[in-house]
Amino acid sequence: MTRPEVKTVIVPQHPASLGRLMSCIRLDEVCVLQGAPVIGACFAMTDFRAATLLTIAALVAGNLLLVAHVFVLNDWAGAQGDLNDPTRVKGTFLAKGESSSRMAGLAWALLVLALLVFALVGKAPSAIALCIAALSAIYSFPGVHGKGVPVLNSLLHMVGGTLHFLLGYVALSPVTPQMVVLGGYFGLVFAAGHLVHEARDHDSDARNGIRTNAVTFGKKTSFLAGQILFSIAYITLTVLALRGLVPPILSLALVFYAVHLWTAWRALREGLTYASIRRLQTVYRNIHVLIGLAMLATIAPW
């Protein structure tokens, strides 16, 4: 198979600006990904003492920096490909007039700051944060570029999602087998969302010669694989609720599952267009936000 020709787009650079550089961080997505570790911390916490609240505050600060590093590294590594994607080009740091060297510097600075904060939280959170950073490097870094290795890219998301939950839990308590299983729920959701994301971006990834699961095995195959992982995630959460390992109200995840399946079926009927997959992503992201809020409402020691 001949590798598609990737056109290199040259964008004029502008004088350095800290404000413009910081605007290149995807803050909306960074904030969304604070849920898993915060929920993990709430599962572990038993009181509202000042020391506990300070630990959670440091956890949130460190995770904000860590996730920002992950996104900045990903954007830096995939800059030229994003310029060839009409759905992303306007939001790239290059289109905003920033340089690759400044983005690389920002990525390193965020990582160093994140690890310094986690060093204050404890050894276990520091080790997990370092593992998450390593997974991110494997996924994004040129030369390794796990994003373009089918199956591996999904495994990186699954392991990373699980660790993200455990990052919060170990900040306050030693890890338990039950919490590893619950962390697996978050890992499944991360990996499933990644497969759907690849199906959505199939055309631009194929144009840029990136061998994602969708490009390698087909858009429909990647999409359906994502729905299978989502199904396992919903079932896992329901079983944990019925066995009393998480609050019983979370067994209602099956109700949300029905809504998710209906929206996924509509996307299939519409031919897996970009718009139909975006609609599905909005639905399941809102569903998992509601599940996360239900967890927080029922597990915190009020």
Side-chain angles (χ1 to χ4, degrees), residues 279-296:
R279 182 173 60 242
L280 172 62
Q281 288 179 308
T282 299
V283 168
Y284 69 64
R285 286 170 180 170
N286 288 335
I287 284 174
H288 290 288
V289 166
L290 289 174
I291 290 174
L293 290 174
M295 287 183 177
L296 291 173

Side-chain angles (χ1 to χ4, degrees), residues 94-199:
L94 290 172
K96 293 179 180 180
E98 276 303 330
S99 69
S100 291
S101 61
R102 289 197 290 267
M103 281 294 282
L106 177 61
W108 281 111
L110 289 168
L111 178 58
V112 170
L113 289 173
L115 294 178
L116 286 174
V117 172
F118 279 117
L120 299 175
V121 179
K123 292 182 179 179
S126 294
I128 291 180
L130 193 58
C131 288
I132 292 173
L135 293 174
S136 170
I138 293 171
Y139 182 81
S140 299
F141 213 78
V144 184
H145 201 226
K147 178 180 180 179
V149 181
V151 181
L152 172 64
N153 45 25
S154 292
L155 288 175
L156 291 172
H157 276 78
M158 185 174 293
V159 175
T162 303
L163 290 177
H164 211 205
F165 169 80
L166 294 176
L167 176 67
Y169 191 85
V170 300
L172 295 173
S173 178
V175 70
T176 65
Q178 294 88 344
M179 290 301 104
V180 173
V181 174
L182 182 56
Y185 157 77
F186 289 93
L188 286 166
V189 170
F190 270 49
H194 167 251
L195 286 165
V196 173
H197 186 84
E198 286 190 340

